Amino acid sequence: MLENREGQRVPEVTFPTRVNNEWVNVTTEELFAGKTVILFALPGAYTPTCSSTHLPRYNELAPVFKREGVDSIICLSVNDPFVMAAWAGDQSAANIDMLPDGNGEFSEGMGMLVEKRDLGFGKRSWRYSMLVKDGVIEKMFIEPDVPGDPFEVSDADTMLDYINPKAELPYRVSMITKPGCPHCMRAKKLLKEKGMAYEEIELGQHGITYSTLTAISGRGTVPQIFIDGEHVGGADELEHWMAG
């Protein structure tokens, strides 16, 4: 039975972590005392849902959470510090504090340590998220206790909607570029001046070719910019879009 611990304090645990290639013990007191913290827990680093959606969206919305008074966002998994650090690097998750619950002590104290023996994982954390203020759990979003790995309520958007349903979401910007392209540089400058984060996809990387570019944009030139799923066009069109 998964336990909702709203109104209770987080378990007192000391986490062995790695900082600058040194072992450093971090306590829950250091992580939560006097702070407003979002913690989201997941079954494992590099697993599909965790890598494609759960972690990236919290990282993407981190500036919004900060504006809403959140001091830090913690991603917890029953993995060792080396795996968590490597995963954070692969995900470019600079806005997230990765917390390795290697012994599962925090997850057990939360009542969220579950058996994943059928997958060869051993004991892992159930997927959930929570808002913690000065060490006290204000709100928990616990995934339903059903077979598999449900992902319905612990996502970043659900948490943000709880904190402030009227919060302004950032634009989701993707830009296809190629090295040495002056128009690409101009587009990047325009986006940075507006404080708009963007995903850059370089031609020739990850199987992206001119054929791909033409297929998705109808054009064979770069940059090609997409905002919230809509095709804006090149640098000139971006400038016009920003002026509108």
Side-chain angles (χ1 to χ4, degrees):
M1 181 68 181
L2 302 170
E3 181 185 358
N4 189 312
R5 293 174 55 90
E6 290 175 5
Q8 302 180 42
R9 298 195 66 82
V10 296
E12 293 185 8
V13 173
T14 298
F15 302 90
T17 69
R18 296 286 290 181
V19 179
N20 297 323
N21 294 319
E22 299 287 341
W23 286 104
V24 177
N25 286 337
V26 177
T27 67
T28 46
E29 177 75 11
E30 294 172 283
L31 293 170
F32 296 102
K35 302 175 184 177
T36 297
V37 178
I38 292 170
L39 181 145
F40 65 100
L42 36 81
Y46 291 102
T47 52
T49 301
C50 308
S51 296
S52 66
T53 308
H54 208 176
L55 174 62
R57 186 58 170 163
Y58 271 105
N59 189 56
E60 182 180 14
L61 291 183
V64 183
F65 283 120
K66 186 175 182 179
R67 290 199 300 269
E68 297 297 328
V70 174
D71 297 300
S72 65
I73 303 173
I74 295 172
C75 173
L76 178 141
S77 181
V78 181
N79 287 113
D80 65 70
F82 299 98
V83 168
M84 292 295 278
W87 188 41
D90 287 349
Q91 289 281 315
S92 300
N95 299 318
I96 306 297
D97 296 326
M98 308 299 278
L99 188 60
D101 187 21
N103 295 323
E105 293 176 27
F106 187 89
S107 299
E108 185 173 28
M110 286 293 300
M112 293 290 159
L113 193 65
V114 298
E115 279 286 357
K116 293 280 185 178
R117 190 179 299 272
D118 58 324
L119 300 176
F121 284 12
K123 291 185 176 182
R124 295 295 179 103
S125 173
W126 191 249
R127 194 185 296 276
Y128 67 96
S129 66
M130 62 181 179
L131 180 66
V132 183
K133 295 187 176 180
D134 194 22
V136 177
I137 302 166
E138 177 181 305
K139 183 65 178 176
M140 289 189 73
F141 294 100
I142 305 169
E143 295 298 339
D145 189 4
V146 296
D149 180 23
F151 181 52
E152 301 174 11
V153 298
S154 63
D155 58 284
D157 291 275
T158 297
M159 179 62 76
L160 182 60
D161 189 59
Y162 168 75
I163 294 172
N164 181 5
K166 296 182 179 179
E168 184 178 349
L169 295 176
Y171 289 109
R172 307 186 85 166
V173 183
S174 298
M175 176 166 51
I176 302 176
T177 68
K178 70 176 181 181
C181 162
H183 298 295
C184 300
M185 296 300 294
R186 183 159 65 93
K188 292 178 189 180
K189 185 173 183 290
L190 288 168
L191 290 168
K192 288 177 181 176
E193 287 174 350
K194 285 285 188 179
M196 296 173 64
Y198 58 88
E199 169 195 40
E200 183 176 4
I201 306 165
E202 282 193 3
L203 285 176
Q205 300 293 320
H206 308 293
I208 303 298
T209 66
Y210 273 104
S211 295
T212 310
L213 174 67
T214 303
I216 63 177
S217 71
R219 303 184 189 181
T221 57
V222 290
Q224 292 302 322
I225 299 141
F226 299 81
I227 299 178
D228 285 346
E230 297 292 329
H231 181 216
V232 172
D236 291 338
E237 288 89 350
L238 176 63
E239 190 168 17
H240 179 74
W241 181 89
M242 288 180 168

